[in-house]
Amino acid sequence: MFGAAYFEPAGSSVSVLLAFASVGISFLFRPLGAFIAGHLGDRVGRRTVLVTTLFMMGGATTLIGLLPTYASIGVAAPIVLVLLRIVQGLAAGGEWGGAVLMAVEHAEPRAHGAVGAFPQMGVPLGLLLASGMLAIMGVVAPGDAFLAWGWRAPFLLSVVLVAVGYVVRRSVEQSPVFRAIAARRERGSVPIVALFRRHALLVLLAALTFAGNSAAGYMTTGGYIQAYATNPDGPVALEREPVLLAVTASAVLWVATTWFGGWISDRIGRKVTYAIGWIVLLAMVFPLFALVDTGEIGLLFLGLALFTVGIGLTYGPQAAFFAELFPASVRFSGVSISYALGAILGGAFAPAIATSLVQATGTTRSVALYLAGMAVIALIATLLLRDRRGMLLGPEHEEEQAHGAITGSTRVLPRVVAR
């Protein structure tokens, strides 16, 4: 729909690529958002950053729902769309680190994974809400009415989420770890400089672990499966509403497996949970596209459901895994920048890459190979990191936190709680 509404002069095939690329461009600004938010989060606190990013994301999303199309205002429409996507990217870059640290740093060490899984569940819950709302609007405003105005309703309803989010975030106290840092007057003047001087390789490896998950997850959250399956000129050509309902249903399973992944990682370890997830993802990536290509909505749902098991197992433990890798003084910067870089390497242009691969090869097997390659890279990066399950996160344990996060590195025995 965005291709037709904002990039129509480029032609049908190129306009779809441009629509996906407009989302990809927003990812390029996530590191900048992560740099800014990381600096402020380590200096002035997690909650302040979370409230700011909420208004940025909510405001930009609402304005997209009000944005006139190319037919109305010409080239200004795609330009403003890209600018609003950039604001979304800046907000997303700073959002994740604050959210997961507010959760994990409030949790008991033995429950880091289970508690940290809750903000992780926001991604599949967002997919569920978005797909469900679009499916409803497809019924309320079918055909031309959906293209004219029906698609805008979910964007405009984000105002409700902003209001709810603001009330929730203002009512939550600063994390106990940040309060301890402030009390000890140990906030660095430039946390990002300290992060890259001491932990650059750690940031890269953490980013690569997320890249595999991000590339896989953005097959649905980035809209590729939906666009491929509903393309009237494509090999599948399913109706929009059944596909959206199948995606919505698969998102429910994604929510469940994400929480389970965080919970089980508290018991069997982060790396073991990740490794199982990567193996499941590798096993399911080829059946996913084979099932989608059947053109049967039930089999499409089955493919997505199986696929989400691997995604959930590699997404649920991520909040705890990342938080336990970085020292308290640079933790916000570390987790935010690692996440943002992983999003660029993985999900940013995954839908556009997948679209280009199918156009070049004529088969979705090329997309499956691409996602399998990303999963293998992420698995290797995961194995190079050390499982620090139960690490005490307060600033009084900074020395232990600062060493031994990478396999083979000089290790200071981390202080952990009995499990």
mmCIF file with all atom_site columns, all heavy atoms in Angstrom, residues 81-99:
data_model
loop_
_atom_site.group_PDB
_atom_site.id
_atom_site.type_symbol
_atom_site.label_atom_id
_atom_site.label_alt_id
_atom_site.label_comp_id
_atom_site.label_asym_id
_atom_site.label_entity_id
_atom_site.label_seq_id
_atom_site.pdbx_PDB_ins_code
_atom_site.Cartn_x
_atom_site.Cartn_y
_atom_site.Cartn_z
_atom_site.occupancy
_atom_site.B_iso_or_equiv
_atom_site.pdbx_formal_charge
_atom_site.auth_seq_id
_atom_site.auth_comp_id
_atom_site.auth_asym_id
_atom_site.auth_atom_id
_atom_site.pdbx_PDB_model_num
ATOM 1   N N   . LEU A 1 81 ? 7.607  11.271 4.510  1.00 0.00 ? 81 LEU A N   1
ATOM 2   C CA  . LEU A 1 81 ? 7.514  9.910  5.023  1.00 0.00 ? 81 LEU A CA  1
ATOM 3   C C   . LEU A 1 81 ? 8.877  9.423  5.509  1.00 0.00 ? 81 LEU A C   1
ATOM 4   O O   . LEU A 1 81 ? 9.003  8.862  6.614  1.00 0.00 ? 81 LEU A O   1
ATOM 5   C CB  . LEU A 1 81 ? 6.974  8.973  3.947  1.00 0.00 ? 81 LEU A CB  1
ATOM 6   C CG  . LEU A 1 81 ? 6.953  7.480  4.311  1.00 0.00 ? 81 LEU A CG  1
ATOM 7   C CD1 . LEU A 1 81 ? 6.008  7.228  5.487  1.00 0.00 ? 81 LEU A CD1 1
ATOM 8   C CD2 . LEU A 1 81 ? 6.551  6.636  3.100  1.00 0.00 ? 81 LEU A CD2 1
ATOM 9   N N   . VAL A 1 82 ? 9.902  9.647  4.705  1.00 0.00 ? 82 VAL A N   1
ATOM 10  C CA  . VAL A 1 82 ? 11.243 9.217  5.088  1.00 0.00 ? 82 VAL A CA  1
ATOM 11  C C   . VAL A 1 82 ? 11.711 9.964  6.340  1.00 0.00 ? 82 VAL A C   1
ATOM 12  O O   . VAL A 1 82 ? 12.325 9.373  7.234  1.00 0.00 ? 82 VAL A O   1
ATOM 13  C CB  . VAL A 1 82 ? 12.226 9.414  3.918  1.00 0.00 ? 82 VAL A CB  1
ATOM 14  C CG1 . VAL A 1 82 ? 13.668 9.219  4.380  1.00 0.00 ? 82 VAL A CG1 1
ATOM 15  C CG2 . VAL A 1 82 ? 11.903 8.449  2.786  1.00 0.00 ? 82 VAL A CG2 1
ATOM 16  N N   . LEU A 1 83 ? 11.420 11.271 6.427  1.00 0.00 ? 83 LEU A N   1
ATOM 17  C CA  . LEU A 1 83 ? 11.803 12.048 7.609  1.00 0.00 ? 83 LEU A CA  1
ATOM 18  C C   . LEU A 1 83 ? 11.129 11.504 8.872  1.00 0.00 ? 83 LEU A C   1
ATOM 19  O O   . LEU A 1 83 ? 11.755 11.404 9.930  1.00 0.00 ? 83 LEU A O   1
ATOM 20  C CB  . LEU A 1 83 ? 11.459 13.523 7.406  1.00 0.00 ? 83 LEU A CB  1
ATOM 21  C CG  . LEU A 1 83 ? 12.284 14.274 6.355  1.00 0.00 ? 83 LEU A CG  1
ATOM 22  C CD1 . LEU A 1 83 ? 11.752 15.688 6.177  1.00 0.00 ? 83 LEU A CD1 1
ATOM 23  C CD2 . LEU A 1 83 ? 13.756 14.312 6.758  1.00 0.00 ? 83 LEU A CD2 1
ATOM 24  N N   . LEU A 1 84 ? 9.851  11.147 8.748  1.00 0.00 ? 84 LEU A N   1
ATOM 25  C CA  . LEU A 1 84 ? 9.149  10.579 9.898  1.00 0.00 ? 84 LEU A CA  1
ATOM 26  C C   . LEU A 1 84 ? 9.703  9.207  10.254 1.00 0.00 ? 84 LEU A C   1
ATOM 27  O O   . LEU A 1 84 ? 9.794  8.841  11.434 1.00 0.00 ? 84 LEU A O   1
ATOM 28  C CB  . LEU A 1 84 ? 7.648  10.492 9.606  1.00 0.00 ? 84 LEU A CB  1
ATOM 29  C CG  . LEU A 1 84 ? 6.920  11.834 9.504  1.00 0.00 ? 84 LEU A CG  1
ATOM 30  C CD1 . LEU A 1 84 ? 5.476  11.640 9.056  1.00 0.00 ? 84 LEU A CD1 1
ATOM 31  C CD2 . LEU A 1 84 ? 6.949  12.567 10.847 1.00 0.00 ? 84 LEU A CD2 1
ATOM 32  N N   . ARG A 1 85 ? 10.102 8.428  9.239  1.00 0.00 ? 85 ARG A N   1
ATOM 33  C CA  . ARG A 1 85 ? 10.741 7.137  9.501  1.00 0.00 ? 85 ARG A CA  1
ATOM 34  C C   . ARG A 1 85 ? 12.080 7.350  10.243 1.00 0.00 ? 85 ARG A C   1
ATOM 35  O O   . ARG A 1 85 ? 12.458 6.543  11.092 1.00 0.00 ? 85 ARG A O   1
ATOM 36  C CB  . ARG A 1 85 ? 10.997 6.398  8.189  1.00 0.00 ? 85 ARG A CB  1
ATOM 37  C CG  . ARG A 1 85 ? 9.762  5.895  7.470  1.00 0.00 ? 85 ARG A CG  1
ATOM 38  C CD  . ARG A 1 85 ? 9.034  4.849  8.276  1.00 0.00 ? 85 ARG A CD  1
ATOM 39  N NE  . ARG A 1 85 ? 8.094  4.088  7.476  1.00 0.00 ? 85 ARG A NE  1
ATOM 40  C CZ  . ARG A 1 85 ? 7.131  3.341  7.982  1.00 0.00 ? 85 ARG A CZ  1
ATOM 41  N NH1 . ARG A 1 85 ? 6.972  3.267  9.306  1.00 0.00 ? 85 ARG A NH1 1
ATOM 42  N NH2 . ARG A 1 85 ? 6.312  2.657  7.205  1.00 0.00 ? 85 ARG A NH2 1
ATOM 43  N N   . ILE A 1 86 ? 12.773 8.412  9.905  1.00 0.00 ? 86 ILE A N   1
ATOM 44  C CA  . ILE A 1 86 ? 14.044 8.706  10.588 1.00 0.00 ? 86 ILE A CA  1
ATOM 45  C C   . ILE A 1 86 ? 13.795 8.996  12.066 1.00 0.00 ? 86 ILE A C   1
ATOM 46  O O   . ILE A 1 86 ? 14.535 8.526  12.942 1.00 0.00 ? 86 ILE A O   1
ATOM 47  C CB  . ILE A 1 86 ? 14.762 9.882  9.893  1.00 0.00 ? 86 ILE A CB  1
ATOM 48  C CG1 . ILE A 1 86 ? 15.308 9.420  8.529  1.00 0.00 ? 86 ILE A CG1 1
ATOM 49  C CG2 . ILE A 1 86 ? 15.896 10.419 10.778 1.00 0.00 ? 86 ILE A CG2 1
ATOM 50  C CD1 . ILE A 1 86 ? 15.851 10.552 7.684  1.00 0.00 ? 86 ILE A CD1 1
ATOM 51  N N   . VAL A 1 87 ? 12.743 9.767  12.353 1.00 0.00 ? 87 VAL A N   1
ATOM 52  C CA  . VAL A 1 87 ? 12.403 10.047 13.754 1.00 0.00 ? 87 VAL A CA  1
ATOM 53  C C   . VAL A 1 87 ? 12.071 8.736  14.468 1.00 0.00 ? 87 VAL A C   1
ATOM 54  O O   . VAL A 1 87 ? 12.489 8.511  15.616 1.00 0.00 ? 87 VAL A O   1
ATOM 55  C CB  . VAL A 1 87 ? 11.221 11.028 13.848 1.00 0.00 ? 87 VAL A CB  1
ATOM 56  C CG1 . VAL A 1 87 ? 10.773 11.197 15.305 1.00 0.00 ? 87 VAL A CG1 1
ATOM 57  C CG2 . VAL A 1 87 ? 11.608 12.379 13.265 1.00 0.00 ? 87 VAL A CG2 1
ATOM 58  N N   . GLN A 1 88 ? 11.326 7.859  13.788 1.00 0.00 ? 88 GLN A N   1
ATOM 59  C CA  . GLN A 1 88 ? 11.037 6.551  14.380 1.00 0.00 ? 88 GLN A CA  1
ATOM 60  C C   . GLN A 1 88 ? 12.327 5.785  14.662 1.00 0.00 ? 88 GLN A C   1
ATOM 61  O O   . GLN A 1 88 ? 12.456 5.125  15.703 1.00 0.00 ? 88 GLN A O   1
ATOM 62  C CB  . GLN A 1 88 ? 10.153 5.734  13.438 1.00 0.00 ? 88 GLN A CB  1
ATOM 63  C CG  . GLN A 1 88 ? 8.707  6.208  13.369 1.00 0.00 ? 88 GLN A CG  1
ATOM 64  C CD  . GLN A 1 88 ? 7.884  5.321  12.445 1.00 0.00 ? 88 GLN A CD  1
ATOM 65  O OE1 . GLN A 1 88 ? 8.316  4.978  11.350 1.00 0.00 ? 88 GLN A OE1 1
ATOM 66  N NE2 . GLN A 1 88 ? 6.693  4.955  12.887 1.00 0.00 ? 88 GLN A NE2 1
ATOM 67  N N   . GLY A 1 89 ? 13.274 5.853  13.733 1.00 0.00 ? 89 GLY A N   1
ATOM 68  C CA  . GLY A 1 89 ? 14.543 5.160  13.924 1.00 0.00 ? 89 GLY A CA  1
ATOM 69  C C   . GLY A 1 89 ? 15.335 5.692  15.105 1.00 0.00 ? 89 GLY A C   1
ATOM 70  O O   . GLY A 1 89 ? 15.896 4.922  15.893 1.00 0.00 ? 89 GLY A O   1
ATOM 71  N N   . LEU A 1 90 ? 15.382 7.018  15.236 1.00 0.00 ? 90 LEU A N   1
ATOM 72  C CA  . LEU A 1 90 ? 16.065 7.619  16.381 1.00 0.00 ? 90 LEU A CA  1
ATOM 73  C C   . LEU A 1 90 ? 15.427 7.170  17.696 1.00 0.00 ? 90 LEU A C   1
ATOM 74  O O   . LEU A 1 90 ? 16.121 6.842  18.658 1.00 0.00 ? 90 LEU A O   1
ATOM 75  C CB  . LEU A 1 90 ? 16.015 9.143  16.272 1.00 0.00 ? 90 LEU A CB  1
ATOM 76  C CG  . LEU A 1 90 ? 16.850 9.776  15.153 1.00 0.00 ? 90 LEU A CG  1
ATOM 77  C CD1 . LEU A 1 90 ? 16.478 11.250 15.002 1.00 0.00 ? 90 LEU A CD1 1
ATOM 78  C CD2 . LEU A 1 90 ? 18.333 9.635  15.447 1.00 0.00 ? 90 LEU A CD2 1
ATOM 79  N N   . ALA A 1 91 ? 14.082 7.150  17.719 1.00 0.00 ? 91 ALA A N   1
ATOM 80  C CA  . ALA A 1 91 ? 13.382 6.739  18.931 1.00 0.00 ? 91 ALA A CA  1
ATOM 81  C C   . ALA A 1 91 ? 13.632 5.266  19.238 1.00 0.00 ? 91 ALA A C   1
ATOM 82  O O   . ALA A 1 91 ? 13.908 4.896  20.386 1.00 0.00 ? 91 ALA A O   1
ATOM 83  C CB  . ALA A 1 91 ? 11.884 6.998  18.782 1.00 0.00 ? 91 ALA A CB  1
ATOM 84  N N   . ALA A 1 92 ? 13.554 4.413  18.217 1.00 0.00 ? 92 ALA A N   1
ATOM 85  C CA  . ALA A 1 92 ? 13.742 2.975  18.433 1.00 0.00 ? 92 ALA A CA  1
ATOM 86  C C   . ALA A 1 92 ? 15.154 2.674  18.915 1.00 0.00 ? 92 ALA A C   1
ATOM 87  O O   . ALA A 1 92 ? 15.363 1.755  19.717 1.00 0.00 ? 92 ALA A O   1
ATOM 88  C CB  . ALA A 1 92 ? 13.450 2.209  17.146 1.00 0.00 ? 92 ALA A CB  1
ATOM 89  N N   . GLY A 1 93 ? 16.128 3.446  18.425 1.00 0.00 ? 93 GLY A N   1
ATOM 90  C CA  . GLY A 1 93 ? 17.510 3.233  18.838 1.00 0.00 ? 93 GLY A CA  1
ATOM 91  C C   . GLY A 1 93 ? 17.715 3.454  20.316 1.00 0.00 ? 93 GLY A C   1
ATOM 92  O O   . GLY A 1 93 ? 18.559 2.805  20.949 1.00 0.00 ? 93 GLY A O   1
ATOM 93  N N   . GLY A 1 94 ? 16.944 4.369  20.901 1.00 0.00 ? 94 GLY A N   1
ATOM 94  C CA  . GLY A 1 94 ? 17.086 4.644  22.323 1.00 0.00 ? 94 GLY A CA  1
ATOM 95  C C   . GLY A 1 94 ? 16.073 3.929  23.190 1.00 0.00 ? 94 GLY A C   1
ATOM 96  O O   . GLY A 1 94 ? 16.231 3.839  24.404 1.00 0.00 ? 94 GLY A O   1
ATOM 97  N N   . GLU A 1 95 ? 15.049 3.405  22.565 1.00 0.00 ? 95 GLU A N   1
ATOM 98  C CA  . GLU A 1 95 ? 13.939 2.806  23.303 1.00 0.00 ? 95 GLU A CA  1
ATOM 99  C C   . GLU A 1 95 ? 14.309 1.473  23.944 1.00 0.00 ? 95 GLU A C   1
ATOM 100 O O   . GLU A 1 95 ? 14.064 1.244  25.131 1.00 0.00 ? 95 GLU A O   1
ATOM 101 C CB  . GLU A 1 95 ? 12.766 2.592  22.329 1.00 0.00 ? 95 GLU A CB  1
ATOM 102 C CG  . GLU A 1 95 ? 11.650 1.713  22.835 1.00 0.00 ? 95 GLU A CG  1
ATOM 103 C CD  . GLU A 1 95 ? 10.768 2.415  23.847 1.00 0.00 ? 95 GLU A CD  1
ATOM 104 O OE1 . GLU A 1 95 ? 10.887 3.644  23.972 1.00 0.00 ? 95 GLU A OE1 1
ATOM 105 O OE2 . GLU A 1 95 ? 9.986  1.732  24.519 1.00 0.00 ? 95 GLU A OE2 1
ATOM 106 N N   . TRP A 1 96 ? 14.909 0.587  23.159 1.00 0.00 ? 96 TRP A N   1
ATOM 107 C CA  . TRP A 1 96 ? 15.061 -0.799 23.614 1.00 0.00 ? 96 TRP A CA  1
ATOM 108 C C   . TRP A 1 96 ? 15.941 -0.893 24.853 1.00 0.00 ? 96 TRP A C   1
ATOM 109 O O   . TRP A 1 96 ? 15.593 -1.570 25.825 1.00 0.00 ? 96 TRP A O   1
ATOM 110 C CB  . TRP A 1 96 ? 15.617 -1.671 22.486 1.00 0.00 ? 96 TRP A CB  1
ATOM 111 C CG  . TRP A 1 96 ? 15.688 -3.114 22.873 1.00 0.00 ? 96 TRP A CG  1
ATOM 112 C CD1 . TRP A 1 96 ? 14.669 -4.010 22.872 1.00 0.00 ? 96 TRP A CD1 1
ATOM 113 C CD2 . TRP A 1 96 ? 16.843 -3.815 23.342 1.00 0.00 ? 96 TRP A CD2 1
ATOM 114 N NE1 . TRP A 1 96 ? 15.112 -5.233 23.308 1.00 0.00 ? 96 TRP A NE1 1
ATOM 115 C CE2 . TRP A 1 96 ? 16.432 -5.143 23.607 1.00 0.00 ? 96 TRP A CE2 1
ATOM 116 C CE3 . TRP A 1 96 ? 18.174 -3.453 23.557 1.00 0.00 ? 96 TRP A CE3 1
ATOM 117 C CZ2 . TRP A 1 96 ? 17.325 -6.106 24.073 1.00 0.00 ? 96 TRP A CZ2 1
ATOM 118 C CZ3 . TRP A 1 96 ? 19.055 -4.411 24.029 1.00 0.00 ? 96 TRP A CZ3 1
ATOM 119 C CH2 . TRP A 1 96 ? 18.636 -5.730 24.284 1.00 0.00 ? 96 TRP A CH2 1
ATOM 120 N N   . GLY A 1 97 ? 17.087 -0.215 24.823 1.00 0.00 ? 97 GLY A N   1
ATOM 121 C CA  . GLY A 1 97 ? 18.001 -0.316 25.949 1.00 0.00 ? 97 GLY A CA  1
ATOM 122 C C   . GLY A 1 97 ? 17.356 0.128  27.250 1.00 0.00 ? 97 GLY A C   1
ATOM 123 O O   . GLY A 1 97 ? 17.496 -0.531 28.289 1.00 0.00 ? 97 GLY A O   1
ATOM 124 N N   . GLY A 1 98 ? 16.641 1.237  27.216 1.00 0.00 ? 98 GLY A N   1
ATOM 125 C CA  . GLY A 1 98 ? 15.988 1.726  28.423 1.00 0.00 ? 98 GLY A CA  1
ATOM 126 C C   . GLY A 1 98 ? 14.923 0.773  28.921 1.00 0.00 ? 98 GLY A C   1
ATOM 127 O O   . GLY A 1 98 ? 14.794 0.527  30.125 1.00 0.00 ? 98 GLY A O   1
ATOM 128 N N   . ALA A 1 99 ? 14.141 0.223  28.002 1.00 0.00 ? 99 ALA A N   1
ATOM 129 C CA  . ALA A 1 99 ? 13.052 -0.670 28.391 1.00 0.00 ? 99 ALA A CA  1
ATOM 130 C C   . ALA A 1 99 ? 13.573 -1.933 29.055 1.00 0.00 ? 99 ALA A C   1
ATOM 131 O O   . ALA A 1 99 ? 13.084 -2.343 30.120 1.00 0.00 ? 99 ALA A O   1
ATOM 132 C CB  . ALA A 1 99 ? 12.210 -1.023 27.165 1.00 0.00 ? 99 ALA A CB  1
#
